[in-house]
Structure formats: structure tokens, C-alpha cells
Amino acid sequence: AAMQARVETPGGSVANTIAGLGSLGLATAFIGKVKDDALGRFYAQGMESAGTAFPNPPSATAAAPTSRSMIFVSPDGERSMNTYLGAGADLGQGDVAPELFAGGKILFLEGYLFDKDDGKSAFTAAAQSMRAAGGRAGITLSDPFCAARHRSDFQRLVAEEMDFVLGNAAEWTTLYETDDLDAALDQASAVCETVVCTCSGDPVLLRRGNEHVSVPVQKVVPVDATGAGDQFAAGFLYGFATGQTLDVCGRLG
């Protein structure tokens, strides 16, 4: 069967979410790392021209080229991804200066960057800076493999630094080493204020303390599933940032 192919530039999931938030009218910024090469300059300029601030300029000293992902989409709408994290994976604590967070409301972190110690320290520093500035910090678990590789660090981050966490069913059950999704979400919501779980075509599950919400999903056969979770996150975060109820946040997603 014929396949579509596309190439995405760095930032990946969070950049897609930020683009969605910007289209809904919120002021947005992307804190990431690109090399001062043709792709990195193109990406930074593209973000700025689309209305998203790009405070870290392309780096002339980045050791790796700007990241990219090649995505093949099969006729059923599912995709296979070949991703090179490149310079983006080298984001470190020095790239998240505290002044970047002044006036911010929401920090949304990308779990893929947890693969290196520099990324872990950058996440902690960014979350603490955002919360110190009066905002809230959250993360997307990104992938079951990320949750499995860094289980204890992810669990600590969820419990100690995050105000909200988004993940799908496989990511949550992997993170807490259980086949029982409710048990996994119970563990998460016991230590984190707001917990969200997408379940593909099944209802989205949201928890905040004793409040449990299930939001129905209309099943479709996608043309291209790339970025579906990112756009859910954009809708949810728009509601979250504007003070909507948990149910409305889920429905916006």
C-alpha cells in the first residue's frame, strides 16, 4: 500500500501543542535548542513568524545538528517514525534561565528529553522557576519506553515538581508497573494535582483529587494520526490555562 511521508523539524510534540495554543489565542513561547544551521534557523524563524516566541537563539556551539523526524503514514492513518533528537536532546539547565518564566502561567514539558541527565536537571530547574513565578508546571509522558527507562525519575518528577501530567493508558500503566489502569491513575493522583489519561478511541479519564471525569470520544478512522495527542493537549491546556472546569478541559481536548 502507498504511504505518505513527511519530515518534521525539532520540538516535535510540544511544538505542535504550542502551535495549537497559539491558534486559540494564547501567548506562547518555545524553550528548546537548535543548532545554528539551515534547518535550525528556518525553525526558529518559522516559530517566531507564527507568533511563538523562541527565546534561545540557534546555537553556534551545539555539538549535534538540529533534530528532525521522518514520519511514514500508512493508509489506516497510523504512522512509523524515525526520529533523530540531535541538538534538542542536549537542552540543559543553562538553557532555562529563570527570567524566561516571568509572567508565565503554564509550563508544558516533553518527556523525550528525559533521556539525558542534562535534560532531567533542565526539567527540574524549569519547573521550579515556573512555580516560583506563580505558574504551574506539567509534563507529557511521551512514550511507554520513556516511562520504562526512567521510571523512578519520572515518578519523582510527577510527585514533587508537577502540577499536571498527561499520558495515554500504556504510558500510565508502564510508569507504575501495573496492568490496572485505575490503579496506576490512583497512584498518580495521590501525588499530583491533575492527572489526564487518553485511551485512543475510548473516553478520556481526568482526575483532580476526588473529582473523576470521563469524557466521551467520537471514534474516526484518521487520515493521519500524527500529532493527535498534541492537539488534545492544546485543547486541554487552553481550558486549564483559562480556568475551565475539568470536564470542559477534557472536552476542549
Side-chain angles (χ1 to χ4, degrees):
M3 289 182 128
Q4 306 173 51
R6 72 163 81 188
V7 176
E8 287 196 353
T9 41
S13 293
V14 163
N16 290 337
T17 299
I18 287 172
L21 286 167
S23 71
L24 291 169
L26 295 187
T28 55
F30 176 79
I31 300 172
K33 190 166 191 173
V34 298
K35 188 176 178 67
D36 188 13
D37 52 21
L39 184 58
R41 291 189 294 272
F42 170 81
Y43 191 71
Q45 292 163 4
M47 292 284 274
E48 292 275 7
S49 65
T52 294
F54 199 91
N56 292 337
S59 171
T61 59
T66 295
S67 54
R68 66 213 65 192
S69 182
M70 183 176 289
I71 305 168
F72 291 90
V73 184
S74 56
D76 63 356
E78 292 301 327
R79 71 267 189 241
S80 298
M81 305 174 76
N82 185 348
T83 299
Y84 171 65
L85 294 177
D90 292 329
L91 185 80
Q93 190 168 348
D95 300 307
V96 289
E99 57 267 22
L100 294 176
F101 303 93
K105 288 186 177 181
I106 298 289
L107 171 70
F108 189 46
L109 300 168
E110 171 59 71
Y112 286 120
L113 290 183
F114 229 51
D115 265 335
K116 294 187 178 182
D117 289 341
D118 283 348
K120 293 175 184 177
S121 61
F123 273 20
T124 299
Q128 292 175 349
S129 293
M130 176 55 80
R131 296 173 97 181
R136 290 175 289 180
I139 193 171
T140 169
L141 297 177
S142 296
D143 190 290
F145 295 109
C146 290
R149 282 196 299 269
H150 308 287
R151 183 174 287 114
S152 60
D153 286 330
F154 261 126
Q155 289 181 0
R156 182 202 62 78
L157 194 72
V158 170
E160 298 177 8
E161 306 291 353
M162 297 295 104
D163 299 296
F164 63 93
V165 181
L166 278 65
N168 63 31
E171 291 158 0
W172 282 117
T173 55
T174 299
L175 181 61
Y176 290 104
E177 293 186 280
T178 176
D179 293 328
D180 186 334
L181 179 58
D182 281 336
L185 296 180
D186 283 344
Q187 291 186 67
S189 60
V191 295
C192 183
E193 177 187 320
T194 302
V195 170
V196 182
C197 178
T198 57
C199 303
S200 190
D202 294 326
V204 177
L205 307 175
L206 306 97
R207 298 189 178 190
R208 181 182 292 151
N210 293 324
E211 183 182 6
H212 293 192
V213 172
S214 175
V215 174
V217 172
Q218 180 180 347
K219 290 188 178 183
V220 298
V221 177
V223 173
D224 178 355
T226 307
D230 308 329
Q231 292 307 293
F232 170 84
F236 170 82
L237 289 174
Y238 178 82
F240 193 72
T242 56
Q244 307 301 316
T245 65
L246 197 58
D247 176 73
V248 170
C249 290
R251 290 178 184 276
L252 285 168

